[in-house]
């Protein structure tokens, strides 16, 4: 990145730098039993008929959507709406409901692993790993692999706050786990998951990847599941800390913040500013606290090593990203969206509110299904009773 400031950044974005793409993972459930439904093959086929390319995931009760590449969040907003609506429609046509939740409310069947050679090898080596979990992955274009690694260093301190903001998996296996993001805790079962270490260079990052491959910690580079990483197949930095957000609006907010954080980091790198060196254990503790408390409690301030209200850490993130958000014309929209989440709750808060008010998992699932395509026009077929 050789240009900084408003004019340089506007030119870079118009020229295709800092491109954006989003992947979202979803759970399929049987609307009659509320249990995970292993019909991803049928849903993918139905999606093809609707003009959307859906991807299989580790479990047959999961699918993934992916946007095309854009240069601004406005390029992706309509795509995200259309992909969620079309995926929900494809699920309904296949006798399923689509849920944007980080963990399944009921355990999937033992034989529900997808039939692929890669997934079979993973099961042979690691068992079922993290189990059934769903996240959102934001890809932002970068100049090269060296920049991606340095951007990752700059993003490390903000990972817990992004997790708290998007937490959407308090319930798993029929119970409230006590965590806002049980997905994040489960993801830690993979030996290559969690916040990445601080790497001084791309060579150091590649050496760590090679060591994990040699030791059998991962089977291929795609199994580097760190919460932010250089993509193994695209010229992007991939931010993957988040649960799949409960609503389109929350996915848009996450993507906008991730975009701004990457550009802010690139500016700092261009000025020769080093990333703050946050200790690995301290960062893990902060991610654990974010996964446990979410928005409703406290987070670990990495500057002072003290617990503070989670909302204060969100304010710090917004202040840090404000110059870039303002230049992109997104600051007012993001602050409005974040204020709405703080006022009405993210996915974790809402799931617990519904469970406390109505006392039935069926009501939580119905509400989650409705929120999955909330704001999508047109609404998918077969959802009138949700």
């Amino acid at each position: 990145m050789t240009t900084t400031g408003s004019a340089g950044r506007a030119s870079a974005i118009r020229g295709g730098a800092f491109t954006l793409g989003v992947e979202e993972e979803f759970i399929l459930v049987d609307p009659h039993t509320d249990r995970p439904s292993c019909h991803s093959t049928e849903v993918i086929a139905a999606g093809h008929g609707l003009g959307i390319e859906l991807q299989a995931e580790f479990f047959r009760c999961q699918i993934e959507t992916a946007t095309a590449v854009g240069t601004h969040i406005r390029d992706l907003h309509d795509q995200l709406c259309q992909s969620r609506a079309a995926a929900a429609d494809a699920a309904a046509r296949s006798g399923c409901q689509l849920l944007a939740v980080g963990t399944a409310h009921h355990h999937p069947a033992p034989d529900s692993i997808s039939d692929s050679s890669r997934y079979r090898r993973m099961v042979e080596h690691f068992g079922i790993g993290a189990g059934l979990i769903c996240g959102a992955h934001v890809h932002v274009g970068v100049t090269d692999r060296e920049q991606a690694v340095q951007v990752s260093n700059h993003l490390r301190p903000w990972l817990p706050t992004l997790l708290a903001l998007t937490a959407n998996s308090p319930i798993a296996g029929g119970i409230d786990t006590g965590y806002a993001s049980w997905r994040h805790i489960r993801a830690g079962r993979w030996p290559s998951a969690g916040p990445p270490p601080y790497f001084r260079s791309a060579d150091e990052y590649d050496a760590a990847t090679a060591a994990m491959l040699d030791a059998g910690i991962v089977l291929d580079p795609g199994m580097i599941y760190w919460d932010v990483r250089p993509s193994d197949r695209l010229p992007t930095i991939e931010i993957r800390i988040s649960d799949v957000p409960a609503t389109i609006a929350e996915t848009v907010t996450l993507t906008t913040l991730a975009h701004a954080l990457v550009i802010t980091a690139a500016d700092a790198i261009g000025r020769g500013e080093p990333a703050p060196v946050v200790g690995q254990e301290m960062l893990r503790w902060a991610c654990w606290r974010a996964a446990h408390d979410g928005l409703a409690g406290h987070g670990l301030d990495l500057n002072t090593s003290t617990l503070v209200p989670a909302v204060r850490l969100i304010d710090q993130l917004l202040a840090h990203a404000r110059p870039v958000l303002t230049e992109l014309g997104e600051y007012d929209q993001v602050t409005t969206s974040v204020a709405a989440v703080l006022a009405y709750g993210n996915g974790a808060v809402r799931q617990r509110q519904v469970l406390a008010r109505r006392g039935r998992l069926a009501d939580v699932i119905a509400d989650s299904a409705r929120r999955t395509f909330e704001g999508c026009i047109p609404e998918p077929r077969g959802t009138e009773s949700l």
Side-chain angles (χ1 to χ4, degrees), residues 166-178:
T166 60
N168 186 29
S169 51
I171 299 170
I175 63 169
D176 187 326
T177 64

Side-chain angles (χ1 to χ4, degrees), residues 284-299:
R284 284 186 176 275
W285 298 339
C287 286
W288 179 88
R289 174 59 65 178
H292 184 271
D293 286 23
L295 288 180
H298 289 74

Side-chain angles (χ1 to χ4, degrees), residues 9-130:
R9 176 149 41 253
S11 175
I13 291 175
R14 283 196 298 272
F18 305 118
T19 55
L20 274 171
V22 182
E23 299 162 342
E24 292 191 293
E25 298 165 340
F26 301 94
I27 294 174
L28 302 169
V29 299
D30 184 316
H32 303 293
T33 66
D34 292 331
R35 300 280 173 174
S37 178
C38 295
H39 291 288
S40 59
T41 300
E42 293 92 328
V43 175
I44 290 169
H48 184 73
L50 294 169
I52 181 173
E53 295 296 324
L54 303 173
Q55 302 296 321
E57 273 294 327
F58 192 81
F59 284 87
R60 289 186 289 124
C61 46
Q62 287 178 284
I63 58 167
E64 181 183 78
T65 63
T67 68
V69 176
T71 57
H72 196 283
I73 187 58
R74 293 167 195 158
D75 299 333
L76 300 189
H77 180 274
D78 289 347
Q79 283 192 56
L80 286 165
C81 286
Q82 292 162 7
S83 65
R84 280 206 184 194
D89 197 349
R93 291 170 186 265
S94 307
C96 304
Q97 278 184 335
L98 189 78
L99 294 187
V101 290
T103 50
H105 297 93
H106 296 286
H107 292 308
D111 61 348
S112 58
I113 304 298
S114 292
D115 185 20
S116 87
S117 58
R118 181 171 184 262
Y119 292 146
R120 286 195 297 271
R121 288 180 61 225
M122 289 169 66
V123 171
E124 288 172 5
H125 283 79
F126 304 102
I128 62 169

